[in-house]
Amino acid sequence: MAVRLPFDNSYARLPPRFFAPLAPTPVAAPRLVRLNVALAKDLGLDAAELASAEGVEILAGNRVAEGSQPLAQAYAGHQFGNFVPQLGDGRAILLGEIVTPVGQRRDIQLKGAGRTPFSRGGDGRAALGPVLREYLVSEAMAALGLPTTRALAAVTTGETVRREGMPPGAILTRVAASHLRVGTFQYFAAQGDTDAVKTLSDYAIARHYPEAAVAANPYRALLDGVVARQADLVAGWLLIGFIHGVMNTDNTSISGETIDFGPCAFMDAYDPATVFSSIDLHGRYAYDSQPGVAYWNMARLAETLLPLLASDEDAALASGKEAIAGFAPRFEAAYRGGLRRKAGLLSPRDGDVALIQDLLTRMAENKADFTLTFRHLAGAALGPENDEAIRALFADPTSYDDWASRWRIRLLDEAASPDERHAAMQMVNPAYIPRNHLVEAALEAATEAGDFRPFETLMDVLSKPYEARPGLEPFAKAPDPTTRIYQTFCGT
Ligand code: AMP
Ligand code: MG
């Protein structure tokens, strides 16, 4: 069956120093373990073609599709605060871009496709567990409504990878608005290659911020645009309890998508200092540190753009500072607006944020589950007869009662009816998130026993996170102390 992938590869048309052209390294015995049929359709691709023998060969890197110009992208990045002038795609290969039926340009990338000139000591491969984790969590993020890269397919390679326990190897087909990162700008800026920074900026503007092209200063408008999208993104993460775990500048996307799902995790009990990643020894990327880190990452982007912001150095610096100063207000507005919606406060009043902050403080003191507290708050919005579900989450239920009585007085000021409020709150407070213990159990069954049923079930549960469905109660529950997971690993 001929596989039609209508590639149009704009990145491959950039100057040669932007990438290394190379094909994926073939694998021993590719097998498709998951295809995202709905996403394939959105991309205008034929799922049956992708699932055919030829399609699977393409998804495994054993065959280069017609029109594909495979390449590894060059980039740099600050990793945990330390600048690394050359990182690049060490195990990912961009097959090319396609334009979807509604006109969106999307990268099609294989992650785990073999060594590249950027691999350094790495093997260029990915293990099945982390591939399935990225598949699950990125698709869950999409269903939750956050900007994110997507997962089109996962194939196993028939080979093992050099990791602890010699796990099975796999390749993820990742779909992204682009793979431009803050680190891509840093790569050229660190070499003093202002021409390349300009070329890259023009490319980013055309691809992601077309409105910037007609601004008084397009490069300043580009910076403003990235700052705004990153502020919104991180606010969105906090509002659903997401911890990225590796917010290095090479994992910070210019398009504003969540990218690179390594040791990321969703919080169970609310604790703003939560850190899951085993490699984040100092808690640099803790839950409540994420806005500050995103701001820091935006400052690194601003530095790369200075030569383009103004010809006068002082003026350029002032412009860059002004742009990143836009982060905090943008973040605050998005975060506070989101908190209000989560608490059903749809007609803004003074004191709303303090009221919700007080709930968060009480949740932290009482180790209340973040997702369930807000989900059940939608029920409590109908009346105090539904309070018990929340009280049960608090070590001291009276701490919730005290707060709820003040919340109900505040609700009297709302224009919406209780039913409207209930419905609106359910649309922003998910019933299901990729809870770590469920994710781990699904990955373990797949990697240890070749049993993909728990993975498939979890994918189905997470496809409609805001819609409570009968029979799925176990997937909404918080972990008990024996199943709760406190640490996650990259496994890369
Ligand atoms: P990540 O932690 O996935 O964001 O990757 C950081 C850098 O390490 C990137 O340059 C990756 O391409 C590279 N890298 C990660 N894993 C491997 C691997 N198994 N082989 C080669 N390079 C890798
Ligand atoms: Mg990365």
Side-chain angles (χ1 to χ4, degrees):
M1 186 185 275
V3 181
R4 286 158 301 168
L5 290 158
F7 284 113
D8 172 33
N9 306 320
S10 64
Y11 207 84
R13 294 192 283 269
L14 289 172
R17 61 193 188 284
F18 280 62
F19 56 87
L22 89 156
T25 307
V27 299
R31 187 170 79 86
L32 183 67
V33 292
R34 231 290 167 164
L35 180 66
N36 193 335
V37 174
L39 179 61
K41 190 159 172 278
D42 288 348
L43 294 169
L45 303 178
D46 184 324
E49 287 177 14
L50 289 173
S52 71
E54 186 185 323
V56 176
E57 282 183 18
I58 292 168
L59 298 172
N62 284 22
R63 173 197 286 259
V64 176
E66 203 183 312
S68 168
Q69 291 165 287
L71 59 87
Q73 292 178 323
Y75 56 84
H78 274 93
Q79 298 191 305
F80 292 91
N82 305 307
F83 186 63
V84 184
Q86 181 170 305
L87 288 164
D89 288 332
R91 53 151 169 182
I93 294 200
L94 179 67
L95 297 184
E97 299 143 39
I98 56 168
V99 178
T100 72
V102 295
Q104 298 166 318
R105 180 173 291 274
R106 290 289 177 265
D107 276 7
I108 309 290
Q109 191 207 57
L110 299 184
K111 191 169 173 181
R115 287 181 53 80
T116 78
F118 304 109
S119 297
R120 289 166 292 157
D123 63 357
R125 294 299 184 190
L128 178 59
V131 163
L132 295 181
R133 171 188 283 276
E134 173 155 351
Y135 198 120
L136 257 173
V137 184
S138 64
E139 286 303 302
M141 290 293 267
L144 284 161
L146 270 77
T148 178
T149 65
R150 303 289 304 271
L152 177 62
V155 296
T156 48
T157 60
E159 299 169 2
T160 54
V161 286
R162 281 189 278 123
R163 307 283 188 281
E164 199 191 319
M166 301 294 280
I171 297 173
L172 178 79
T173 306
R174 177 158 74 179
V175 177
S178 83
H179 286 84
L180 301 182
R181 308 144 190 271
V182 170
T184 320
F185 287 76
Q186 290 180 295
Y187 177 77
F188 296 113
Q191 298 170 29
D193 189 346
T194 304
D195 277 352
V197 176
K198 185 173 181 303
T199 302
L200 182 63
S201 300
D202 291 336
Y203 181 83
I205 289 170
R207 193 158 171 181
H208 299 301
Y209 300 91
E211 68 284 359
V214 293
N217 182 333
Y219 305 108
R220 169 61 194 273
L222 168 66
L223 181 57
D224 287 335
V226 181
V227 165
R229 287 194 202 170
Q230 282 292 326
D232 289 350
L233 179 67
V234 173
W237 289 354
L238 295 199
L239 292 166
I240 54 164
F242 179 73
I243 303 163
H244 183 284
V246 212
M247 287 176 71
N248 295 331
T249 56
D250 53 302
N251 295 337
T252 303
S253 147
I254 295 299
S255 76
E257 289 182 332
T258 311
I259 189 169
D260 274 4
F261 297 82
C264 62
F266 282 74
M267 193 158 66
D268 294 303
Y270 179 68
D271 174 0
T274 304
V275 178
F276 283 105
S277 170
S278 61
I279 57 170
D280 192 359
L281 299 177
H282 306 290
R284 179 180 171 90
Y285 300 138
Y287 172 79
D288 68 348
S289 299
Q290 296 183 114
V293 173
Y295 169 80
W296 190 87
N297 290 349
M298 290 303 94
R300 305 288 78 77
L301 176 63
E303 284 168 357
T304 71
L305 294 173
L306 287 178
L308 306 179
L309 292 179
S311 44
D312 173 74
E313 245 178 68
D314 289 340
L317 200 59
S319 176
K321 279 187 174 162
E322 198 178 87
I324 58 167
F327 183 92
R330 178 85 183 205
F331 167 79
E332 288 298 340
Y335 179 63
R336 290 174 176 192
L339 279 182
R340 276 208 178 89
R341 286 190 292 280
K342 283 180 85 70
L345 307 182
L346 308 177
S347 329
R349 295 285 181 273
D350 286 347
D352 283 354
V353 172
L355 181 66
I356 303 166
Q357 189 53 57
D358 183 39
L359 173 63
L360 290 171
T361 303
R362 289 164 188 260
M363 286 164 63
E365 285 165 2
N366 286 276
K367 304 200 180 338
D369 186 82
F370 179 76
T371 303
L372 287 178
T373 300
F374 281 104
R375 180 70 186 184
H376 291 323
L377 207 56
L382 292 172
E385 64 278 12
N386 295 329
D387 275 354
E388 211 40 56
I390 305 185
R391 299 184 84 246
L393 302 171
F394 278 63
D396 170 15
T398 64
S399 175
Y400 166 71
D401 295 337
D402 288 345
W403 181 83
S405 59
R406 282 187 289 125
W407 176 56
R408 292 207 162 92
I409 293 168
R410 166 64 184 82
L411 289 180
L412 297 173
D413 243 11
E414 284 291 309
S417 73
D419 282 334
E420 286 168 340
R421 180 157 49 248
H422 173 72
M425 289 173 77
Q426 284 197 323
M427 284 165 67
V428 293
N429 292 313
Y432 313 109
I433 52 158
R435 292 197 183 262
N436 304 317
H437 65 292
L438 299 174
V439 173
E440 290 305 327
L443 302 196
E444 194 179 302
T447 54
E448 310 280 317
D451 177 4
F452 286 81
R453 283 171 302 181
F455 174 80
E456 291 295 335
T457 304
L458 195 51
M459 282 298 303
D460 175 55
V461 170
L462 296 172
S463 67
K464 293 182 200 135
Y466 297 104
E467 188 187 309
R469 283 176 280 165
L472 299 188
E473 292 78 10
F475 297 95
K477 270 178 43 191
D480 60 47
T482 58
T483 50
R484 183 165 170 202
I485 286 169
Y486 295 91
Q487 210 177 36
T488 53
F489 300 87
C490 273
T492 56

